Amino acid sequence: MTIVNGYEQSDNENKLDILNLPSLEAEAKKIIPAGGFGYIVGGSEDEWTLAENTKAFSHAQIVPKVLSNIEQPDLSTSIFGISLKTPVMMAPTAAQGLAHSQGEKDTARGVAAVGGLMAQSTYSSTSIADTAAAGEGAPQFFQLYMSKDWTFNESLLDEAKKAGAKAILLTSDATVDGYREEDIVNNFQFPIPMANLTKFSEGDGKGKGIGEIYASAAQKISEDDVRRIAAYTDLPVIVKGVQSPEDALRAIGAGAAGIYVSNHGGRQLNGGPASFDVLPAIAKAVNHQVPIIFDSGVRRGSHVFKALAAGADLVAIGRPAIYGLALGGALGVQSVFEQLDHELTITMQLAGTKTIEDVKRAPLTHFNYAD
Amino acid sequence: MTIVNGYEQSDNENKLDILNLPSLEAEAKKIIPAGGFGYIVGGSEDEWTLAENTKAFSHAQIVPKVLSNIEQPDLSTSIFGISLKTPVMMAPTAAQGLAHSQGEKDTARGVAAVGGLMAQSTYSSTSIADTAAAGEGAPQFFQLYMSKDWTFNESLLDEAKKAGAKAILLTSDATVDGYREEDIVNNFQFPIPMANLTKFSEGDGKGKGIGEIYASAAQKISEDDVRRIAAYTDLPVIVKGVQSPEDALRAIGAGAAGIYVSNHGGRQLNGGPASFDVLPAIAKAVNHQVPIIFDSGVRRGSHVFKALAAGADLVAIGRPAIYGLALGGALGVQSVFEQLDHELTITMQLAGTKTIEDVKRAPLTHFNYAD
Amino acid sequence: MTIVNGYEQSDNENKLDILNLPSLEAEAKKIIPAGGFGYIVGGSEDEWTLAENTKAFSHAQIVPKVLSNIEQPDLSTSIFGISLKTPVMMAPTAAQGLAHSQGEKDTARGVAAVGGLMAQSTYSSTSIADTAAAGEGAPQFFQLYMSKDWTFNESLLDEAKKAGAKAILLTSDATVDGYREEDIVNNFQFPIPMANLTKFSEGDGKGKGIGEIYASAAQKISEDDVRRIAAYTDLPVIVKGVQSPEDALRAIGAGAAGIYVSNHGGRQLNGGPASFDVLPAIAKAVNHQVPIIFDSGVRRGSHVFKALAAGADLVAIGRPAIYGLALGGALGVQSVFEQLDHELTITMQLAGTKTIEDVKRAPLTHFNYAD
Amino acid sequence: MTIVNGYEQSDNENKLDILNLPSLEAEAKKIIPAGGFGYIVGGSEDEWTLAENTKAFSHAQIVPKVLSNIEQPDLSTSIFGISLKTPVMMAPTAAQGLAHSQGEKDTARGVAAVGGLMAQSTYSSTSIADTAAAGEGAPQFFQLYMSKDWTFNESLLDEAKKAGAKAILLTSDATVDGYREEDIVNNFQFPIPMANLTKFSEGDGKGKGIGEIYASAAQKISEDDVRRIAAYTDLPVIVKGVQSPEDALRAIGAGAAGIYVSNHGGRQLNGGPASFDVLPAIAKAVNHQVPIIFDSGVRRGSHVFKALAAGADLVAIGRPAIYGLALGGALGVQSVFEQLDHELTITMQLAGTKTIEDVKRAPLTHFNYAD
């Protein structure tokens, strides 16, 4: 265990024997200090959207194709010409030092081990360069929480580009912090410095609540910002937090090279729909102009399959990977992705789909019952 | 604590540290005597409509607009030319002496402190003049439970007008008392005199059950009464308790200057729809001819947002404010409104809506699942 | 207490202080012996239809009409020219001696006291004549479980006519006993003789299970039986147990003077719809050619209102009245009907409906959510 | 009790006093060792589909026909010219030695006693010949888990044909083992040899997990395999595991003589629809070209009725019969089928359907509520 400012970080480095991703939450709760755990697990307001995110996968059902003459499904896919061994990617998740002393570095190692895609968060515990180095050449995206201070933004984007980031995820759904009651109950303040804040801004985030962190972030984010970041970086910009067809088209109109359908895991706006429920309409509107990344609520191989069949090109997970990080470091993260890939492989074989492209073309059916 | 006729009234005067409005109920239950608490919390019959009122907000979902380039949402709005700092108003709620020794006076103070709108009830514990004075010039409406005795009605209306009431809320959904089992179980009788009854009628309500109080109220209320009250007072008359488009149009035809969509917080007719469920059809029929006030079931900032987006111009709360009154007097009421305004502000920012007018134009989506 | 064949019958004769009808079940369970209580309370198979019967009332909602200028609702109505003070009638319910030593006689007294309509069951504990006499001139119907032995049928019909029965209810949904697990678990056999069996057949039902009783009943019931009974008695024949528009029209085609929509309180066919769910389509098909009686699941004034608004002319209750019988004899039965009438009166006033005819014309709305 | 490789097999041979099939699970759990019980009871992944299978029967309701003039319903039916006394058949279920020392032999005896149809599984504990002999001439089908080794397939098909199998069920939904968490938690390996593996392949399945068993089965199954098996055996081939109209038509196009609608009792693909939910569309597409067998979730007589009315010709059960086997051997299996036949008989009589053909023509209605 590593103790930083009185906060106990896990030092675990071991593979995990995982039954399923939902079971990780209770295990992780035992070793992550209460404040950190509350920050990770919590959603906003009455957490209706958080709960609905996972429940919504039962709103559509897989239609298997039997006698399909396939075997050994192939999970490999690609985005922007980047080859990936799995369509499951790591969502940009803040402050991973709350879960493990190696923070994002171990996450990058675990994701690299499965041939997946890592996304770094602006509010990471380890620096862009360190996390990139830990990934040993595996592809990474960089997520930007846009600051009011454009110099800060440019410093981050410069650093990300220098570290080899393949795309920028511009978060659009967090212009203020969601009303997260867990953090209020715990009076939670970040005990671990945020590496990028330390390096490029006056404060380091330590001893602040998420509200104070967000206070220096930009509230006003516009289509012009998409254009500006794309022009500045010459990298694909993916707008993260899209929840409607209209916004997807506006983002593309502003030069977005990808759409990231997400409600921030139910941590920001509460009272909006489950992320999975809005995916089909967005995919229809986007109509393959740009790739779609999807997250929020994914816990099962069947969820990944349904998200792909509903229009996603990549599917991201957040909390389960962080729990794996706490429980096993890089190997724990690797175990989480392997488990989800394993479930997805079985689902693909039983659904009669050999490739990720087959999954994307697979039909879903809808029995509109409540359970 | 103040003891009146053996009933223990809170004297608290302090701000509240509120996590959320639903959590206030359990706290208030600890300090409001059982009979009074049962009267406040209870609904009618099997309380289906009461429960459905809050559940119904999950029947519609907010569609956020990202990249909307807004910050610092502005909650100010107006009705009948009256400027308000928040669209959340105080519903006319009877007998607030059950919750606090200062009764409606403290409620008026708390509402004034947030720049909101106060509505006085006919069956208030403090007099029209006293409550108005406590509000220190902040806008107030007066709610009329029409009596069979027209002289009584005129006395009340005279007094309200003299005290500066900006509009009359004519309650139309309480021509008899709902079948409230909590009151029966507690054999509840009002321990505190009702100031307006003391002043203008023979009895004062003390020692009576709600059924006896309502017995002297008019059962027969008609469109003619709307016309008569409007003519008598020369004030805007808002018909309260409307639950169908047909009734809204009839009320407007009779001269109503506003429509108050409500099912009385599930305390009157049971077995009718959730108030939120009927709002869109009524708003469509009213078509901006007159403003719409909405209540019943509102507990969250996202609820206020959804009600405004579904057609309301103002959104009222009752029980949560009364719990705040019991727990903290005027400051407690203020805390309740501030909490709801805080949640609403976050929701507005995250939904990409800068003004209340933006919220009113915001789309809602409907995934018709049961949860 | 009266003990018959070791079975303890209640002798209570007292008015009841009733909060609501659902609460009577637990009270009655304390004084009715387990076997008898299981027989009364139980439904068939997994009791899906039983549970759905009451839940289904939330599938439609009352649309109140405010400003309706009414007071003092009038519950009086009529069927076949018989004036009734309430639209709530007593369903024909077997073996009421299980609940009370006075059996059907006390039920008839209680129903007469409220000006309602009593229906006698073939399998009653007291005789047709005795029950009729106890009703002191109040209107009664007689329900026929048609026997394979036509002589037995004629004897019963003669007796019923002689006793003044105004109509015959021909039960069509009980051609075999439903699979009632409570009776199997209790190994229940009727401890009390059935008066009509004693008088007109070889056995008296005592010491038999419901399966054995039904075994002597006719399984083959046809449209010809409707004609035959109508011709033999020259009384209106109402076919009981109708659950589809097609059957309602076939019954009318065979001379039925009324349709009784019911699924036998969920005691016969399981897996069919809630009785309330099928009522509107049947009412539409019947189109006022003959009156419609409705039962199954009614526990609240709002349920009665909804059933009338959905197409019923009279609404029957069974189990709650039997619980009232056990708890208070004739006065207990009276209390049950008075409670339901009280709730209905409030519902009518708040819905803006002065008469039962108004209720029948009142609109219902449907928010198709699950709760 | 018989102990094989440390596993305790039931030797019970007695009729069962069955209240209903769902109640058997808890009883069987007491006498089947944990690993074996987990294998039998478990579904795949989060068991959504498993749970939905039974819940889905409430998505349709039986519309009874009263005054139908029928008695003594007749459960006899036929398939491929084979006369059966009941439409309820035994699903091909693996490794019945887990439940009883007599394994499939006792199941065959029990099924023969009720005049039903037995289906043998490739992975049976007793041999094709022994199980066939135990059935004493009663009709049997043979289910093939197709091996990668075609010689093995031919050996099994030869043996089945020699033993008198009337049709081949080709399982198409198990090209890999579903993700069954119960087996993982129990680290379950088959303790009992699989007779057909012992006889025709190198290993006998003992000491292996289901994943290892399936590993030697074919993953690639195609329409050509249907043709090949039909040509080789000259027996009707029924494709088992069909869940869509498209697949049903493809199977028929490949020469399938029957369609078996099933999701393997929720043990294979999770996240697909309930088997009952997909049945009507498949039946409509098949349009009586070939017979349809249905399983997954059937526990009640009303479920059998609904499946037949929704398009099935035969309805199979698995787990409940295995529980009966454990609790009572051949007589236990017989008791289970008798109980279901008893419930079905009551349902048919109360629905007004005299024959299985009547049931198939009976209407269902759909109130799309969630419960």
Side-chain angles (χ1 to χ4, degrees):
Chain A
M1 183 191 306
T2 301
I3 303 187
V4 177
N5 300 310
Y7 187 93
E8 301 179 348
Q9 294 176 304
S10 162
D11 293 326
N12 289 352
E13 294 291 349
N14 48 267
K15 291 221 66 167
L16 301 174
D17 196 17
I18 298 179
L19 184 63
N20 55 55
L21 272 56
S23 67
L24 296 172
E25 185 177 304
E27 291 306 307
K29 191 174 184 176
K30 295 176 190 167
I31 63 165
I32 303 176
F37 183 78
Y39 171 76
I40 295 164
V41 77
S44 55
E45 231 203 38
D46 65 8
E47 299 190 335
W48 184 86
T49 298
L50 169 65
E52 195 72 6
N53 275 337
T54 295
K55 282 195 269 183
F57 289 108
S58 70
H59 298 166
Q61 292 88 33
I62 301 167
V63 183
K65 180 181 178 183
V66 296
L67 305 177
S68 58
N69 203 33
I70 63 130
E71 64 182 348
Q72 296 172 333
D74 175 4
L75 273 60
S76 67
T77 187
S78 69
I79 186 169
F80 303 141
I82 307 161
S83 292
L84 300 167
K85 289 189 184 158
T86 169
V88 184
M89 66 172 279
M90 180 67 201
T93 309
Q96 298 180 16
L98 294 172
H100 197 277
S101 59
Q102 290 294 307
E104 288 77 2
K105 291 186 292 183
D106 261 9
T107 305
R109 288 181 190 114
V111 173
V114 296
L117 177 63
M118 168 76 182
Q120 290 195 34
S121 164
T122 290
Y123 297 149
S124 58
S125 302
T126 62
S127 72
I128 294 174
D130 287 353
T131 307
E136 294 182 352
Q140 299 195 351
F141 287 177
F142 177 73
Q143 173 269 351
L144 180 67
Y145 276 121
M146 216 174 73
S147 171
K148 288 168 181 158
D149 175 2
W150 191 252
T151 309
F152 175 77
N153 295 332
E154 293 190 346
S155 302
L156 285 178
L157 293 171
D158 291 346
E159 185 86 354
K161 195 162 178 179
K162 189 169 130 199
K166 306 291 189 194
I168 304 300
L169 302 171
L170 174 63
T171 294
S172 67
D173 64 359
T175 60
V176 70
D177 52 311
Y179 187 71
R180 300 185 203 159
E181 301 191 355
E182 292 262 3
D183 290 348
I184 296 170
V185 168
N186 292 326
N187 193 23
F188 180 66
Q189 297 181 315
F190 290 103
I192 319 283
M194 290 174 170
N196 296 323
L197 301 193
T198 305
K199 187 161 183 183
F200 300 111
S201 73
E202 292 190 7
D204 62 4
K206 181 164 59 71
K208 293 187 177 173
I210 184 69
E212 293 166 282
I213 302 291
Y214 275 4
S216 61
Q219 289 201 300
K220 296 180 74 168
I221 301 181
S222 71
E223 293 163 56
D224 284 342
D225 294 308
V226 179
R227 289 187 194 96
R228 188 169 178 180
I229 295 166
Y232 184 80
T233 60
D234 206 26
L235 285 173
V237 174
I238 300 166
V239 177
K240 178 170 182 284
V242 171
Q243 296 180 51
S244 74
E246 295 74 17
D247 282 4
L249 294 179
R250 283 200 303 122
I252 293 170
I259 295 297
Y260 194 133
V261 175
S262 169
N263 56 33
H264 217 113
R267 296 162 72 82
Q268 289 294 115
L269 177 71
N270 184 55
S275 194
F276 181 67
D277 279 337
V278 299
L279 178 56
I282 294 175
K284 187 176 176 190
V286 170
N287 195 22
H288 305 287
Q289 296 175 66
V290 299
I292 294 176
I293 302 176
F294 170 86
D295 77 19
S296 295
V298 176
R299 297 293 180 269
R300 288 285 184 176
S302 59
H303 300 168
V304 177
F305 186 103
K306 288 177 180 181
L308 293 169
D313 294 283
L314 293 182
V315 177
I317 57 170
R319 292 180 184 91
I322 301 303
Y323 298 145
L325 176 64
L327 293 163
L331 291 167
V333 171
Q334 179 182 343
S335 297
V336 169
F337 281 87
E338 286 173 351
Q339 171 66 20
L340 208 50
D341 283 352
H342 178 51
E343 290 182 22
L344 176 59
T345 302
I346 293 170
T347 304
M348 286 174 66
Q349 174 66 31
L350 294 176
T353 47
K354 180 161 177 65
T355 67
I356 298 301
E357 287 305 309
D358 288 346
V359 178
K360 291 186 195 174
R361 285 187 295 259
L364 295 175
T365 190
H366 299 266
F367 288 94
N368 286 318
Y369 304 113
D371 42 17
Chain B
M1 184 192 304
T2 300
I3 303 186
V4 177
N5 301 310
Y7 186 92
E8 300 180 348
Q9 293 176 305
S10 161
D11 293 326
N12 289 352
E13 293 292 349
N14 48 268
K15 292 221 66 168
L16 302 175
D17 195 17
I18 298 179
L19 184 63
N20 56 54
L21 272 55
S23 66
L24 295 173
E25 185 177 303
E27 291 305 306
K29 190 175 185 177
K30 295 176 189 166
I31 64 165
I32 303 177
F37 183 78
Y39 171 75
I40 295 165
V41 78
S44 55
E45 231 203 39
D46 65 7
E47 298 190 336
W48 184 86
T49 297
L50 169 66
E52 195 71 6
N53 275 337
T54 296
K55 281 195 269 182
F57 289 108
S58 70
H59 297 166
Q61 293 88 33
I62 300 167
V63 182
K65 181 181 177 183
V66 296
L67 305 177
S68 59
N69 203 32
I70 63 129
E71 64 183 348
Q72 296 171 335
D74 175 4
L75 273 61
S76 67
T77 188
S78 69
I79 186 169
F80 303 140
I82 307 161
S83 293
L84 301 167
K85 290 189 182 159
T86 169
V88 184
M89 66 173 279
M90 181 66 203
T93 309
Q96 298 179 15
L98 295 172
H100 197 278
S101 59
Q102 290 292 307
E104 288 77 3
K105 290 185 293 182
D106 260 9
T107 304
R109 288 180 189 113
V111 173
V114 297
L117 177 64
M118 169 75 182
Q120 289 196 34
S121 163
T122 290
Y123 298 148
S124 58
S125 303
T126 62
S127 72
I128 295 174
D130 288 353
T131 307
E136 293 183 350
Q140 298 195 352
F141 287 177
F142 177 74
Q143 173 269 349
L144 181 67
Y145 277 122
M146 215 174 74
S147 171
K148 289 168 180 157
D149 175 0
W150 192 252
T151 309
F152 176 77
N153 295 332
E154 292 190 347
S155 302
L156 285 178
L157 294 170
D158 290 346
E159 186 86 354
K161 194 162 180 181
K162 189 169 132 199
K166 306 293 189 193
I168 303 300
L169 301 171
L170 174 63
T171 293
S172 67
D173 62 0
T175 60
V176 70
D177 51 312
Y179 186 71
R180 300 186 203 158
E181 300 191 356
E182 292 261 3
D183 290 348
I184 295 169
V185 168
N186 292 326
N187 193 23
F188 180 67
Q189 296 181 316
F190 289 104
I192 320 283
M194 292 174 170
N196 296 323
L197 302 192
T198 305
K199 188 162 182 182
F200 299 111
S201 72
E202 294 189 6
D204 63 3
K206 181 164 60 72
K208 294 186 177 174
I210 185 67
E212 293 166 282
I213 302 291
Y214 275 4
S216 61
Q219 289 200 299
K220 297 180 74 167
I221 300 181
S222 71
E223 294 164 54
D224 284 344
D225 294 308
V226 179
R227 289 186 194 96
R228 187 169 179 180
I229 295 165
Y232 184 80
T233 60
D234 205 24
L235 285 173
V237 174
I238 300 166
V239 176
K240 178 170 182 284
V242 171
Q243 297 180 50
S244 74
E246 295 74 16
D247 282 5
L249 295 179
R250 284 198 303 123
I252 293 171
I259 295 297
Y260 194 134
V261 175
S262 168
N263 57 32
H264 218 113
R267 296 162 72 82
Q268 289 293 116
L269 177 70
N270 185 56
S275 193
F276 181 67
D277 279 337
V278 300
L279 178 57
I282 295 174
K284 187 176 176 191
V286 169
N287 195 21
H288 304 288
Q289 296 176 68
V290 299
I292 293 175
I293 302 176
F294 170 86
D295 78 18
S296 296
V298 175
R299 297 292 180 270
R300 287 285 183 177
S302 59
H303 300 168
V304 177
F305 187 103
K306 288 177 179 180
L308 293 168
D313 294 283
L314 293 182
V315 177
I317 57 170
R319 291 180 184 92
I322 301 302
Y323 298 144
L325 176 64
L327 293 164
L331 291 167
V333 171
Q334 180 181 342
S335 297
V336 169
F337 281 88
E338 286 174 350
Q339 171 65 20
L340 207 49
D341 283 353
H342 180 49
E343 290 181 23
L344 176 60
T345 302
I346 293 171
T347 304
M348 286 174 66
Q349 175 66 30
L350 294 176
T353 48
K354 182 164 177 62
T355 67
I356 298 301
E357 287 305 308
D358 289 345
V359 177
K360 291 186 196 174
R361 285 186 295 258
L364 295 175
T365 189
H366 299 266
F367 289 94
N368 286 317
Y369 303 112
D371 42 18
Chain C
M1 183 193 302
T2 300
I3 302 187
V4 177
N5 301 311
Y7 186 92
E8 301 180 349
Q9 293 175 305
S10 161
D11 293 327
N12 289 352
E13 294 291 349
N14 49 266
K15 291 221 66 167
L16 302 175
D17 195 17
I18 298 179
L19 183 64
N20 55 55
L21 272 55
S23 67
L24 296 173
E25 185 177 304
E27 292 305 307
K29 190 174 185 176
K30 295 175 189 166
I31 64 166
I32 304 177
F37 182 78
Y39 171 76
I40 295 165
V41 78
S44 55
E45 232 202 39
D46 65 7
E47 299 191 337
W48 184 86
T49 297
L50 169 65
E52 195 72 6
N53 275 338
T54 296
K55 282 195 270 183
F57 289 107
S58 71
H59 297 167
Q61 293 88 33
I62 301 167
V63 183
K65 181 181 179 184
V66 296
L67 305 177
S68 59
N69 203 33
I70 63 128
E71 64 182 349
Q72 296 171 334
D74 175 3
L75 273 60
S76 67
T77 188
S78 69
I79 187 169
F80 303 141
I82 306 161
S83 293
L84 300 166
K85 290 189 182 158
T86 170
V88 184
M89 66 173 278
M90 180 67 203
T93 309
Q96 298 179 17
L98 295 172
H100 197 278
S101 58
Q102 290 294 307
E104 288 77 2
K105 290 185 293 182
D106 260 9
T107 305
R109 288 180 190 114
V111 172
V114 296
L117 177 63
M118 169 74 182
Q120 289 196 34
S121 164
T122 290
Y123 297 147
S124 59
S125 302
T126 62
S127 73
I128 295 175
D130 287 354
T131 307
E136 294 182 352
Q140 298 195 352
F141 287 176
F142 177 75
Q143 174 270 350
L144 180 67
Y145 277 120
M146 216 175 74
S147 171
K148 289 169 180 157
D149 174 2
W150 191 252
T151 309
F152 175 78
N153 296 332
E154 292 190 347
S155 302
L156 285 178
L157 294 170
D158 290 346
E159 185 87 351
K161 195 162 179 181
K162 189 169 132 198
K166 305 294 189 191
I168 304 300
L169 301 171
L170 174 63
T171 293
S172 67
D173 62 0
T175 60
V176 70
D177 52 313
Y179 186 71
R180 299 183 204 161
E181 301 189 357
E182 292 261 4
D183 290 348
I184 296 169
V185 168
N186 293 326
N187 192 22
F188 179 66
Q189 296 182 316
F190 290 103
I192 319 284
M194 291 175 170
N196 296 323
L197 301 193
T198 305
K199 188 162 181 182
F200 299 110
S201 73
E202 293 191 7
D204 63 3
K206 181 164 59 71
K208 293 188 177 173
I210 185 67
E212 293 165 283
I213 303 292
Y214 275 5
S216 61
Q219 289 199 301
K220 296 181 74 167
I221 302 181
S222 72
E223 293 163 57
D224 284 344
D225 295 308
V226 179
R227 290 186 194 98
R228 187 169 178 180
I229 295 165
Y232 185 80
T233 61
D234 204 24
L235 284 173
V237 174
I238 300 166
V239 176
K240 179 170 181 285
V242 171
Q243 296 180 53
S244 74
E246 295 73 18
D247 282 5
L249 295 179
R250 283 199 303 122
I252 292 171
I259 295 297
Y260 194 133
V261 175
S262 168
N263 57 33
H264 218 113
R267 297 162 71 83
Q268 289 294 115
L269 177 69
N270 185 55
S275 193
F276 181 68
D277 279 338
V278 299
L279 177 57
I282 295 174
K284 188 176 176 190
V286 170
N287 195 22
H288 305 287
Q289 296 176 68
V290 299
I292 294 175
I293 302 176
F294 170 86
D295 77 19
S296 296
V298 176
R299 297 292 180 272
R300 287 286 185 176
S302 60
H303 299 168
V304 177
F305 186 103
K306 288 177 179 179
L308 293 169
D313 294 283
L314 293 182
V315 177
I317 57 170
R319 291 180 184 93
I322 301 303
Y323 299 144
L325 176 64
L327 293 163
L331 291 167
V333 171
Q334 179 182 342
S335 296
V336 169
F337 280 87
E338 286 174 351
Q339 171 65 20
L340 208 48
D341 283 353
H342 179 50
E343 290 181 22
L344 175 59
T345 303
I346 292 170
T347 304
M348 287 174 67
Q349 174 66 29
L350 293 176
T353 47
K354 182 164 176 61
T355 67
I356 298 301
E357 286 304 309
D358 289 344
V359 178
K360 290 187 196 173
R361 285 187 295 258
L364 295 175
T365 189
H366 299 267
F367 289 93
N368 286 318
Y369 304 112
D371 42 18
Chain D
M1 183 191 306
T2 301
I3 302 186
V4 177
N5 301 311
Y7 186 93
E8 300 180 349
Q9 293 176 306
S10 161
D11 293 325
N12 289 351
E13 294 291 349
N14 48 267
K15 291 222 66 168
L16 301 174
D17 195 17
I18 298 178
L19 183 63
N20 55 55
L21 271 55
S23 66
L24 295 173
E25 185 177 304
E27 292 305 307
K29 190 174 184 177
K30 295 176 191 166
I31 62 165
I32 303 177
F37 183 78
Y39 171 76
I40 295 164
V41 77
S44 54
E45 230 203 38
D46 66 6
E47 299 190 337
W48 185 86
T49 297
L50 169 65
E52 196 71 6
N53 275 337
T54 296
K55 281 195 269 183
F57 289 108
S58 70
H59 298 166
Q61 293 89 33
I62 301 167
V63 182
K65 180 181 178 183
V66 296
L67 305 177
S68 58
N69 202 33
I70 63 128
E71 64 183 349
Q72 296 172 333
D74 176 5
L75 272 62
S76 66
T77 188
S78 69
I79 187 169
F80 303 140
I82 305 161
S83 294
L84 300 167
K85 290 189 183 159
T86 169
V88 184
M89 66 173 278
M90 181 66 202
T93 309
Q96 299 180 17
L98 295 173
H100 197 278
S101 59
Q102 291 293 306
E104 288 77 3
K105 290 185 294 182
D106 260 10
T107 305
R109 288 180 190 114
V111 172
V114 296
L117 177 64
M118 169 74 182
Q120 290 196 33
S121 164
T122 290
Y123 298 148
S124 58
S125 302
T126 61
S127 72
I128 295 175
D130 287 354
T131 307
E136 294 182 351
Q140 298 194 352
F141 288 177
F142 177 74
Q143 174 269 350
L144 180 67
Y145 276 120
M146 216 174 74
S147 171
K148 289 169 181 159
D149 175 2
W150 192 252
T151 309
F152 175 77
N153 295 332
E154 292 190 347
S155 302
L156 285 179
L157 294 171
D158 291 346
E159 185 86 353
K161 194 163 179 181
K162 187 168 132 200
K166 307 292 189 192
I168 303 300
L169 301 172
L170 174 63
T171 294
S172 67
D173 63 0
T175 59
V176 70
D177 52 313
Y179 186 70
R180 299 184 203 161
E181 300 190 356
E182 292 262 4
D183 290 348
I184 296 169
V185 168
N186 292 325
N187 193 22
F188 179 66
Q189 297 182 318
F190 290 104
I192 318 284
M194 292 175 170
N196 296 323
L197 301 193
T198 305
K199 187 161 183 182
F200 300 111
S201 72
E202 294 190 6
D204 63 3
K206 183 163 60 71
K208 293 187 177 175
I210 185 69
E212 294 166 282
I213 302 292
Y214 275 5
S216 59
Q219 289 200 299
K220 297 180 75 167
I221 301 181
S222 71
E223 294 164 56
D224 284 344
D225 294 308
V226 179
R227 290 187 194 97
R228 186 168 179 181
I229 295 165
Y232 184 79
T233 60
D234 205 25
L235 285 173
V237 175
I238 300 166
V239 177
K240 178 169 181 285
V242 172
Q243 296 181 52
S244 74
E246 295 73 17
D247 282 4
L249 294 179
R250 283 201 301 124
I252 293 171
I259 295 296
Y260 194 133
V261 176
S262 168
N263 56 32
H264 218 113
R267 296 162 71 82
Q268 289 294 115
L269 177 70
N270 185 56
S275 194
F276 181 67
D277 279 338
V278 299
L279 178 57
I282 294 174
K284 188 176 174 189
V286 170
N287 195 22
H288 304 287
Q289 296 176 68
V290 299
I292 294 175
I293 302 176
F294 171 85
D295 78 18
S296 296
V298 175
R299 298 293 179 270
R300 287 286 185 176
S302 58
H303 299 168
V304 177
F305 187 102
K306 288 177 179 181
L308 293 168
D313 294 285
L314 294 182
V315 177
I317 58 170
R319 292 180 184 91
I322 301 302
Y323 298 144
L325 175 64
L327 293 164
L331 292 167
V333 171
Q334 179 182 342
S335 297
V336 169
F337 280 87
E338 286 173 349
Q339 172 64 21
L340 208 49
D341 283 352
H342 179 50
E343 290 182 22
L344 176 60
T345 302
I346 293 171
T347 304
M348 287 174 66
Q349 174 66 29
L350 294 176
T353 47
K354 181 163 176 62
T355 67
I356 297 301
E357 287 304 309
D358 289 345
V359 177
K360 291 186 196 173
R361 285 186 295 259
L364 296 176
T365 190
H366 299 266
F367 288 94
N368 286 318
Y369 304 111
D371 42 18

